[in-house]
Amino acid sequence: MRVCQIHGNVCKILSILAATHCQNYNEIIRNDRDGPHPDGSYRWAFETGGGIYHEQRGFQRDTGLQVEGQYQYTAPDGQVINVLYKADENGFHATGDHIPTPPPIPIAIQRALDYLKSRPSTTERY
């Protein structure tokens, strides 16, 4: 009986410590907001105690709303993920060291593509 009582108390203490740690880890330590303004511009940023960070700003252009921002967090494997992004009339574009990129085009294929580009179009009507 005594072992079960000690085990139960240890479990209670561990669960309280875990809950406290999670609350501090996810606590918002920064939350800035500016706007929206009459011209459509805005800016905001937030950060948690666990290292999650996100900021964004937006403004109107002749072609519509343009948004730029970045976010950062630590992946489960410990890698810090940092993404810069932009969104406009051409879509969403993100960059980051962790984002895969295609391999370079082999030289022979690039030469063939350049040659084909230099030739007149075969879809032109005469």
Side-chain angles (χ1 to χ4, degrees):
M1 180 87 173
R2 176 122 170 104
V3 172
C4 290
Q5 189 177 22
I6 292 171
H7 184 264
N9 288 339
V10 169
C11 287
K12 287 177 188 174
I13 291 170
L14 288 176
S15 65
I16 290 169
L17 288 173
T20 303
H21 173 72
C22 288
Q23 287 174 352
N24 291 337
Y25 193 76
N26 293 319
E27 178 184 4
I28 295 177
I29 59 175
R30 177 180 172 204
N31 190 6
D32 300 332
R33 304 206 177 269
D34 180 25
H37 298 285
D39 64 357
S41 65
Y42 67 90
R43 176 183 289 248
W44 57 261
F46 76 88
E47 184 175 359
T48 70
I52 298 171
Y53 174 75
H54 193 164
E55 72 173 308
Q56 185 179 94
R57 64 186 171 279
F59 45 92
Q60 285 291 99
R61 296 211 157 200
D62 294 339
T63 56
L65 181 66
Q66 182 167 330
V67 175
E68 297 174 352
Q70 68 174 326
Y71 58 90
Q72 178 176 304
Y73 64 94
T74 303
D77 65 359
Q79 179 184 8
V80 175
I81 304 296
N82 188 16
V83 177
L84 301 173
Y85 64 87
K86 179 177 166 181
D88 56 20
E89 71 276 5
N90 296 315
F92 180 83
H93 307 280
T95 59
D97 291 340
H98 68 289
I99 298 175
T101 57
I105 298 173
I107 295 171
I109 293 176
Q110 186 61 54
R111 275 194 223 128
L113 291 171
D114 293 342
Y115 172 76
L116 290 172
K117 199 184 294 184
S118 72
R119 305 289 298 154
S121 173
T122 59
T123 59
E124 291 178 3
R125 292 186 180 220
Y126 297 99

Tab-separated table of all heavy atoms in Angstrom, residues 58-111:
chain	number	residue	atom	x	y	z
A	58	GLY	N	1.442	43.806	-44.103
A	58	GLY	CA	0.728	43.850	-45.364
A	58	GLY	C	0.492	45.283	-45.783
A	58	GLY	O	0.418	46.185	-44.948
A	59	PHE	N	0.402	45.476	-47.093
A	59	PHE	CA	0.141	46.809	-47.622
A	59	PHE	C	-0.507	46.677	-48.987
A	59	PHE	O	-0.351	45.670	-49.677
A	59	PHE	CB	1.422	47.648	-47.684
A	59	PHE	CG	2.609	46.929	-48.248
A	59	PHE	CD1	2.912	46.976	-49.601
A	59	PHE	CD2	3.435	46.189	-47.415
A	59	PHE	CE1	3.996	46.306	-50.114
A	59	PHE	CE2	4.531	45.523	-47.921
A	59	PHE	CZ	4.810	45.576	-49.279
A	60	GLN	N	-1.244	47.704	-49.349
A	60	GLN	CA	-1.940	47.723	-50.627
A	60	GLN	C	-1.004	48.175	-51.744
A	60	GLN	O	-0.213	49.094	-51.570
A	60	GLN	CB	-3.136	48.664	-50.565
A	60	GLN	CG	-4.317	48.129	-49.796
A	60	GLN	CD	-4.986	46.981	-50.495
A	60	GLN	OE1	-4.746	45.854	-50.158
A	60	GLN	NE2	-5.813	47.256	-51.462
A	61	ARG	N	-1.121	47.539	-52.864
A	61	ARG	CA	-0.441	47.941	-54.097
A	61	ARG	C	-1.496	48.096	-55.177
A	61	ARG	O	-2.648	47.719	-54.981
A	61	ARG	CB	0.570	46.864	-54.506
A	61	ARG	CG	1.679	46.697	-53.512
A	61	ARG	CD	2.879	46.287	-54.235
A	61	ARG	NE	4.037	46.652	-53.421
A	61	ARG	CZ	5.216	46.772	-53.883
A	61	ARG	NH1	5.436	46.584	-55.146
A	61	ARG	NH2	6.208	47.093	-53.103
A	62	ASP	N	-1.088	48.584	-56.318
A	62	ASP	CA	-2.038	48.719	-57.432
A	62	ASP	C	-2.631	47.366	-57.822
A	62	ASP	O	-3.757	47.279	-58.279
A	62	ASP	CB	-1.352	49.336	-58.656
A	62	ASP	CG	-0.934	50.778	-58.404
A	62	ASP	OD1	-1.500	51.411	-57.496
A	62	ASP	OD2	-0.034	51.263	-59.123
A	63	THR	N	-1.853	46.305	-57.631
A	63	THR	CA	-2.285	44.961	-58.014
A	63	THR	C	-3.009	44.226	-56.891
A	63	THR	O	-3.393	43.085	-57.054
A	63	THR	CB	-1.066	44.131	-58.451
A	63	THR	OG1	-0.104	44.135	-57.391
A	63	THR	CG2	-0.448	44.701	-59.714
A	64	GLY	N	-3.174	44.852	-55.736
A	64	GLY	CA	-3.866	44.224	-54.616
A	64	GLY	C	-3.004	44.203	-53.365
A	64	GLY	O	-1.966	44.867	-53.288
A	65	LEU	N	-3.435	43.417	-52.412
A	65	LEU	CA	-2.728	43.321	-51.145
A	65	LEU	C	-1.445	42.519	-51.301
A	65	LEU	O	-1.444	41.457	-51.917
A	65	LEU	CB	-3.625	42.651	-50.092
A	65	LEU	CG	-3.047	42.500	-48.693
A	65	LEU	CD1	-2.845	43.863	-48.047
A	65	LEU	CD2	-3.961	41.638	-47.835
A	66	GLN	N	-0.357	43.021	-50.743
A	66	GLN	CA	0.899	42.290	-50.696
A	66	GLN	C	1.227	42.021	-49.234
A	66	GLN	O	1.145	42.920	-48.402
A	66	GLN	CB	2.041	43.058	-51.351
A	66	GLN	CG	3.335	42.262	-51.328
A	66	GLN	CD	4.390	42.841	-52.229
A	66	GLN	OE1	4.095	43.458	-53.242
A	66	GLN	NE2	5.638	42.644	-51.863
A	67	VAL	N	1.603	40.796	-48.933
A	67	VAL	CA	1.901	40.375	-47.571
A	67	VAL	C	3.322	39.825	-47.541
A	67	VAL	O	3.725	39.081	-48.433
A	67	VAL	CB	0.902	39.286	-47.111
A	67	VAL	CG1	1.270	38.758	-45.742
A	67	VAL	CG2	-0.509	39.829	-47.124
A	68	GLU	N	4.068	40.205	-46.513
A	68	GLU	CA	5.415	39.681	-46.307
A	68	GLU	C	5.534	39.295	-44.844
A	68	GLU	O	4.957	39.942	-43.970
A	68	GLU	CB	6.473	40.730	-46.636
A	68	GLU	CG	6.471	41.157	-48.084
A	68	GLU	CD	7.426	42.297	-48.361
A	68	GLU	OE1	7.988	42.872	-47.405
A	68	GLU	OE2	7.609	42.616	-49.545
A	69	GLY	N	6.280	38.246	-44.569
A	69	GLY	CA	6.438	37.844	-43.186
A	69	GLY	C	7.454	36.745	-43.015
A	69	GLY	O	8.121	36.326	-43.961
A	70	GLN	N	7.545	36.281	-41.786
A	70	GLN	CA	8.413	35.168	-41.467
A	70	GLN	C	7.895	34.472	-40.220
A	70	GLN	O	7.211	35.073	-39.409
A	70	GLN	CB	9.851	35.611	-41.263
A	70	GLN	CG	10.089	36.448	-40.030
A	70	GLN	CD	11.567	36.730	-39.826
A	70	GLN	OE1	12.419	35.913	-40.132
A	70	GLN	NE2	11.867	37.903	-39.308
A	71	TYR	N	8.214	33.191	-40.124
A	71	TYR	CA	7.922	32.471	-38.895
A	71	TYR	C	9.065	31.522	-38.593
A	71	TYR	O	9.832	31.145	-39.478
A	71	TYR	CB	6.575	31.744	-38.938
A	71	TYR	CG	6.391	30.735	-40.040
A	71	TYR	CD1	6.751	29.400	-39.858
A	71	TYR	CD2	5.826	31.103	-41.251
A	71	TYR	CE1	6.560	28.470	-40.858
A	71	TYR	CE2	5.624	30.177	-42.253
A	71	TYR	CZ	5.996	28.866	-42.054
A	71	TYR	OH	5.806	27.946	-43.046
A	72	GLN	N	9.176	31.172	-37.316
A	72	GLN	CA	10.266	30.332	-36.860
A	72	GLN	C	9.784	29.446	-35.716
A	72	GLN	O	8.997	29.881	-34.877
A	72	GLN	CB	11.424	31.203	-36.378
A	72	GLN	CG	12.606	30.430	-35.844
A	72	GLN	CD	13.736	31.355	-35.469
A	72	GLN	OE1	14.209	32.124	-36.278
A	72	GLN	NE2	14.153	31.291	-34.220
A	73	TYR	N	10.256	28.210	-35.712
A	73	TYR	CA	9.968	27.279	-34.629
A	73	TYR	C	11.038	26.205	-34.636
A	73	TYR	O	11.821	26.093	-35.584
A	73	TYR	CB	8.568	26.657	-34.778
A	73	TYR	CG	8.411	25.810	-36.023
A	73	TYR	CD1	8.625	24.435	-35.975
A	73	TYR	CD2	8.065	26.384	-37.246
A	73	TYR	CE1	8.499	23.660	-37.112
A	73	TYR	CE2	7.934	25.617	-38.380
A	73	TYR	CZ	8.146	24.259	-38.318
A	73	TYR	OH	8.023	23.491	-39.444
A	74	THR	N	11.073	25.401	-33.593
A	74	THR	CA	12.027	24.301	-33.512
A	74	THR	C	11.288	23.005	-33.810
A	74	THR	O	10.297	22.683	-33.156
A	74	THR	CB	12.676	24.239	-32.117
A	74	THR	OG1	13.304	25.496	-31.857
A	74	THR	CG2	13.715	23.134	-32.045
A	75	ALA	N	11.783	22.274	-34.798
A	75	ALA	CA	11.185	21.003	-35.190
A	75	ALA	C	11.463	19.946	-34.113
A	75	ALA	O	12.378	20.106	-33.301
A	75	ALA	CB	11.750	20.563	-36.537
A	76	PRO	N	10.705	18.858	-34.121
A	76	PRO	CA	10.937	17.801	-33.131
A	76	PRO	C	12.364	17.242	-33.127
A	76	PRO	O	12.853	16.801	-32.093
A	76	PRO	CB	9.925	16.710	-33.525
A	76	PRO	CG	8.836	17.456	-34.202
A	76	PRO	CD	9.517	18.587	-34.919
A	77	ASP	N	13.051	17.290	-34.270
A	77	ASP	CA	14.428	16.787	-34.321
A	77	ASP	C	15.448	17.821	-33.844
A	77	ASP	O	16.648	17.581	-33.888
A	77	ASP	CB	14.784	16.316	-35.729
A	77	ASP	CG	14.804	17.440	-36.755
A	77	ASP	OD1	14.532	18.607	-36.406
A	77	ASP	OD2	15.109	17.162	-37.931
A	78	GLY	N	14.972	19.005	-33.407
A	78	GLY	CA	15.863	20.037	-32.879
A	78	GLY	C	16.281	21.084	-33.900
A	78	GLY	O	16.907	22.076	-33.548
A	79	GLN	N	15.957	20.876	-35.171
A	79	GLN	CA	16.318	21.838	-36.215
A	79	GLN	C	15.442	23.087	-36.095
A	79	GLN	O	14.227	22.992	-35.945
A	79	GLN	CB	16.126	21.220	-37.601
A	79	GLN	CG	16.457	22.160	-38.741
A	79	GLN	CD	16.158	21.547	-40.110
A	79	GLN	OE1	15.568	20.493	-40.218
A	79	GLN	NE2	16.582	22.231	-41.147
A	80	VAL	N	16.078	24.257	-36.142
A	80	VAL	CA	15.329	25.516	-36.123
A	80	VAL	C	14.843	25.783	-37.544
A	80	VAL	O	15.630	25.864	-38.482
A	80	VAL	CB	16.201	26.683	-35.615
A	80	VAL	CG1	15.437	27.998	-35.710
A	80	VAL	CG2	16.633	26.429	-34.178
A	81	ILE	N	13.543	25.880	-37.688
A	81	ILE	CA	12.915	26.119	-38.985
A	81	ILE	C	12.598	27.606	-39.069
A	81	ILE	O	11.902	28.145	-38.213
A	81	ILE	CB	11.615	25.300	-39.135
A	81	ILE	CG1	11.872	23.808	-38.924
A	81	ILE	CG2	10.947	25.592	-40.455
A	81	ILE	CD1	12.768	23.161	-39.940
A	82	ASN	N	13.120	28.261	-40.095
A	82	ASN	CA	12.855	29.683	-40.317
A	82	ASN	C	12.373	29.847	-41.749
A	82	ASN	O	13.064	29.453	-42.685
A	82	ASN	CB	14.106	30.512	-40.071
A	82	ASN	CG	13.812	31.999	-40.108
A	82	ASN	OD1	12.663	32.417	-40.032
A	82	ASN	ND2	14.842	32.799	-40.228
A	83	VAL	N	11.195	30.398	-41.910
A	83	VAL	CA	10.590	30.573	-43.224
A	83	VAL	C	10.320	32.046	-43.460
A	83	VAL	O	9.700	32.706	-42.630
A	83	VAL	CB	9.266	29.778	-43.336
A	83	VAL	CG1	8.602	30.023	-44.677
A	83	VAL	CG2	9.502	28.296	-43.122
A	84	LEU	N	10.794	32.554	-44.573
A	84	LEU	CA	10.454	33.894	-45.050
A	84	LEU	C	9.427	33.708	-46.159
A	84	LEU	O	9.576	32.809	-46.986
A	84	LEU	CB	11.682	34.609	-45.606
A	84	LEU	CG	12.847	34.807	-44.639
A	84	LEU	CD1	14.059	35.368	-45.381
A	84	LEU	CD2	12.450	35.727	-43.518
A	85	TYR	N	8.402	34.543	-46.193
A	85	TYR	CA	7.396	34.373	-47.234
A	85	TYR	C	6.889	35.708	-47.747
A	85	TYR	O	7.030	36.751	-47.106
A	85	TYR	CB	6.231	33.511	-46.745
A	85	TYR	CG	5.440	34.102	-45.607
A	85	TYR	CD1	4.376	34.959	-45.841
A	85	TYR	CD2	5.751	33.794	-44.287
A	85	TYR	CE1	3.644	35.485	-44.796
A	85	TYR	CE2	5.023	34.316	-43.237
A	85	TYR	CZ	3.974	35.161	-43.499
A	85	TYR	OH	3.256	35.697	-42.462
A	86	LYS	N	6.299	35.615	-48.926
A	86	LYS	CA	5.693	36.762	-49.584
A	86	LYS	C	4.456	36.236	-50.300
A	86	LYS	O	4.486	35.147	-50.880
A	86	LYS	CB	6.685	37.350	-50.580
A	86	LYS	CG	6.201	38.535	-51.349
A	86	LYS	CD	7.342	39.030	-52.241
A	86	LYS	CE	6.871	39.988	-53.280
A	86	LYS	NZ	7.962	40.439	-54.142
A	87	ALA	N	3.379	36.981	-50.240
A	87	ALA	CA	2.159	36.606	-50.949
A	87	ALA	C	1.628	37.841	-51.657
A	87	ALA	O	1.519	38.909	-51.071
A	87	ALA	CB	1.117	36.062	-49.978
A	88	ASP	N	1.358	37.661	-52.941
A	88	ASP	CA	0.844	38.766	-53.748
A	88	ASP	C	0.010	38.188	-54.884
A	88	ASP	O	-0.424	37.047	-54.816
A	88	ASP	CB	1.998	39.640	-54.267
A	88	ASP	CG	3.034	38.865	-55.060
A	88	ASP	OD1	2.727	37.758	-55.552
A	88	ASP	OD2	4.155	39.362	-55.195
A	89	GLU	N	-0.190	38.972	-55.929
A	89	GLU	CA	-1.020	38.519	-57.045
A	89	GLU	C	-0.438	37.292	-57.739
A	89	GLU	O	-1.135	36.589	-58.467
A	89	GLU	CB	-1.240	39.654	-58.052
A	89	GLU	CG	-0.017	40.035	-58.861
A	89	GLU	CD	0.909	41.018	-58.160
A	89	GLU	OE1	0.674	41.365	-56.989
A	89	GLU	OE2	1.890	41.444	-58.791
A	90	ASN	N	0.830	36.993	-57.499
A	90	ASN	CA	1.470	35.826	-58.118
A	90	ASN	C	1.460	34.598	-57.218
A	90	ASN	O	2.077	33.589	-57.532
A	90	ASN	CB	2.910	36.162	-58.508
A	90	ASN	CG	2.955	37.246	-59.562
A	90	ASN	OD1	2.209	37.216	-60.525
A	90	ASN	ND2	3.807	38.228	-59.357
A	91	GLY	N	0.817	34.688	-56.055
A	91	GLY	CA	0.712	33.539	-55.161
A	91	GLY	C	1.576	33.661	-53.926
A	91	GLY	O	2.061	34.735	-53.578
A	92	PHE	N	1.764	32.522	-53.261
A	92	PHE	CA	2.531	32.425	-52.020
A	92	PHE	C	3.911	31.875	-52.349
A	92	PHE	O	4.034	30.842	-52.994
A	92	PHE	CB	1.807	31.491	-51.045
A	92	PHE	CG	2.500	31.326	-49.729
A	92	PHE	CD1	2.334	32.260	-48.727
A	92	PHE	CD2	3.317	30.236	-49.488
A	92	PHE	CE1	2.963	32.112	-47.505
A	92	PHE	CE2	3.952	30.065	-48.267
A	92	PHE	CZ	3.777	31.012	-47.279
A	93	HIS	N	4.953	32.588	-51.905
A	93	HIS	CA	6.329	32.172	-52.169
A	93	HIS	C	7.084	32.128	-50.846
A	93	HIS	O	7.179	33.136	-50.155
A	93	HIS	CB	7.019	33.161	-53.118
A	93	HIS	CG	6.243	33.399	-54.376
A	93	HIS	ND1	6.267	32.541	-55.435
A	93	HIS	CD2	5.383	34.389	-54.713
A	93	HIS	CE1	5.476	32.977	-56.387
A	93	HIS	NE2	4.917	34.113	-55.971
A	94	ALA	N	7.602	30.953	-50.518
A	94	ALA	CA	8.322	30.773	-49.260
A	94	ALA	C	9.763	30.365	-49.534
A	94	ALA	O	10.048	29.671	-50.503
A	94	ALA	CB	7.639	29.702	-48.423
A	95	THR	N	10.670	30.821	-48.659
A	95	THR	CA	12.062	30.404	-48.730
A	95	THR	C	12.516	29.991	-47.341
A	95	THR	O	12.062	30.532	-46.343
A	95	THR	CB	12.983	31.522	-49.247
A	95	THR	OG1	12.874	32.653	-48.371
A	95	THR	CG2	12.642	31.949	-50.657
A	96	GLY	N	13.392	29.024	-47.311
A	96	GLY	CA	13.955	28.540	-46.056
A	96	GLY	C	14.978	27.454	-46.351
A	96	GLY	O	14.861	26.741	-47.351
A	97	ASP	N	15.971	27.336	-45.501
A	97	ASP	CA	17.024	26.348	-45.722
A	97	ASP	C	16.496	24.919	-45.735
A	97	ASP	O	17.086	24.043	-46.355
A	97	ASP	CB	18.111	26.470	-44.647
A	97	ASP	CG	18.905	27.760	-44.776
A	97	ASP	OD1	18.884	28.364	-45.866
A	97	ASP	OD2	19.547	28.153	-43.782
A	98	HIS	N	15.401	24.654	-45.059
A	98	HIS	CA	14.853	23.304	-44.967
A	98	HIS	C	13.961	22.943	-46.155
A	98	HIS	O	13.598	21.790	-46.320
A	98	HIS	CB	14.047	23.172	-43.675
A	98	HIS	CG	12.810	23.998	-43.709
A	98	HIS	ND1	12.836	25.369	-43.636
A	98	HIS	CD2	11.511	23.647	-43.856
A	98	HIS	CE1	11.611	25.824	-43.716
A	98	HIS	NE2	10.795	24.812	-43.853
A	99	ILE	N	13.591	23.920	-46.980
A	99	ILE	CA	12.698	23.659	-48.107
A	99	ILE	C	13.511	23.039	-49.237
A	99	ILE	O	14.519	23.605	-49.665
A	99	ILE	CB	12.005	24.958	-48.573
A	99	ILE	CG1	11.150	25.511	-47.426
A	99	ILE	CG2	11.159	24.711	-49.812
A	99	ILE	CD1	10.515	26.857	-47.723
A	100	PRO	N	13.084	21.872	-49.730
A	100	PRO	CA	13.850	21.218	-50.792
A	100	PRO	C	13.876	22.053	-52.072
A	100	PRO	O	12.914	22.754	-52.386
A	100	PRO	CB	13.112	19.903	-51.033
A	100	PRO	CG	12.016	19.826	-50.048
A	100	PRO	CD	11.918	21.129	-49.334
A	101	THR	N	14.972	21.971	-52.783
A	101	THR	CA	15.108	22.656	-54.074
A	101	THR	C	15.434	21.607	-55.129
A	101	THR	O	16.062	20.591	-54.830
A	101	THR	CB	16.221	23.717	-54.038
A	101	THR	OG1	17.442	23.080	-53.668
A	101	THR	CG2	15.908	24.816	-53.053
A	102	PRO	N	15.020	21.841	-56.362
A	102	PRO	CA	15.311	20.864	-57.411
A	102	PRO	C	16.807	20.852	-57.732
A	102	PRO	O	17.494	21.859	-57.546
A	102	PRO	CB	14.495	21.358	-58.606
A	102	PRO	CG	14.293	22.809	-58.354
A	102	PRO	CD	14.262	22.973	-56.858
A	103	PRO	N	17.298	19.720	-58.223
A	103	PRO	CA	18.712	19.671	-58.614
A	103	PRO	C	18.941	20.553	-59.835
A	103	PRO	O	17.999	20.865	-60.574
A	103	PRO	CB	18.944	18.197	-58.937
A	103	PRO	CG	17.587	17.671	-59.285
A	103	PRO	CD	16.613	18.467	-58.465
A	104	PRO	N	20.180	20.961	-60.079
A	104	PRO	CA	20.443	21.782	-61.263
A	104	PRO	C	20.177	20.996	-62.551
A	104	PRO	O	20.297	19.775	-62.580
A	104	PRO	CB	21.927	22.142	-61.133
A	104	PRO	CG	22.493	21.164	-60.163
A	104	PRO	CD	21.374	20.693	-59.304
A	105	ILE	N	19.819	21.717	-63.596
A	105	ILE	CA	19.571	21.087	-64.898
A	105	ILE	C	20.918	20.662	-65.486
A	105	ILE	O	21.847	21.479	-65.546
A	105	ILE	CB	18.853	22.066	-65.846
A	105	ILE	CG1	17.498	22.444	-65.251
A	105	ILE	CG2	18.684	21.473	-67.241
A	105	ILE	CD1	16.766	23.536	-66.012
A	106	PRO	N	21.038	19.409	-65.930
A	106	PRO	CA	22.295	18.977	-66.552
A	106	PRO	C	22.655	19.844	-67.756
A	106	PRO	O	21.772	20.339	-68.475
A	106	PRO	CB	22.012	17.534	-66.981
A	106	PRO	CG	20.906	17.088	-66.067
A	106	PRO	CD	20.089	18.319	-65.809
A	107	ILE	N	23.937	20.041	-67.970
A	107	ILE	CA	24.423	20.957	-69.026
A	107	ILE	C	23.877	20.586	-70.393
A	107	ILE	O	23.434	21.460	-71.151
A	107	ILE	CB	25.967	20.982	-69.032
A	107	ILE	CG1	26.471	21.585	-67.723
A	107	ILE	CG2	26.508	21.749	-70.226
A	107	ILE	CD1	27.970	21.470	-67.513
A	108	ALA	N	23.887	19.304	-70.753
A	108	ALA	CA	23.412	18.890	-72.080
A	108	ALA	C	21.933	19.231	-72.262
A	108	ALA	O	21.517	19.696	-73.333
A	108	ALA	CB	23.638	17.397	-72.274
A	109	ILE	N	21.134	19.045	-71.228
A	109	ILE	CA	19.708	19.364	-71.329
A	109	ILE	C	19.515	20.868	-71.409
A	109	ILE	O	18.679	21.350	-72.179
A	109	ILE	CB	18.937	18.745	-70.154
A	109	ILE	CG1	18.959	17.227	-70.269
A	109	ILE	CG2	17.504	19.268	-70.099
A	109	ILE	CD1	18.324	16.494	-69.122
A	110	GLN	N	20.297	21.646	-70.660
A	110	GLN	CA	20.178	23.104	-70.724
A	110	GLN	C	20.525	23.612	-72.113
A	110	GLN	O	19.868	24.502	-72.635
A	110	GLN	CB	21.074	23.769	-69.670
A	110	GLN	CG	20.889	25.272	-69.599
A	110	GLN	CD	19.477	25.667	-69.215
A	110	GLN	OE1	18.957	25.231	-68.199
A	110	GLN	NE2	18.819	26.476	-70.041
A	111	ARG	N	21.562	23.021	-72.735
A	111	ARG	CA	21.919	23.416	-74.115
A	111	ARG	C	20.769	23.135	-75.067
A	111	ARG	O	20.458	23.962	-75.936
A	111	ARG	CB	23.172	22.664	-74.568
A	111	ARG	CG	24.429	23.322	-74.139
A	111	ARG	CD	25.626	22.729	-74.892
A	111	ARG	NE	26.674	22.549	-73.929
A	111	ARG	CZ	27.361	21.445	-73.708
A	111	ARG	NH1	27.152	20.376	-74.424
A	111	ARG	NH2	28.289	21.399	-72.803
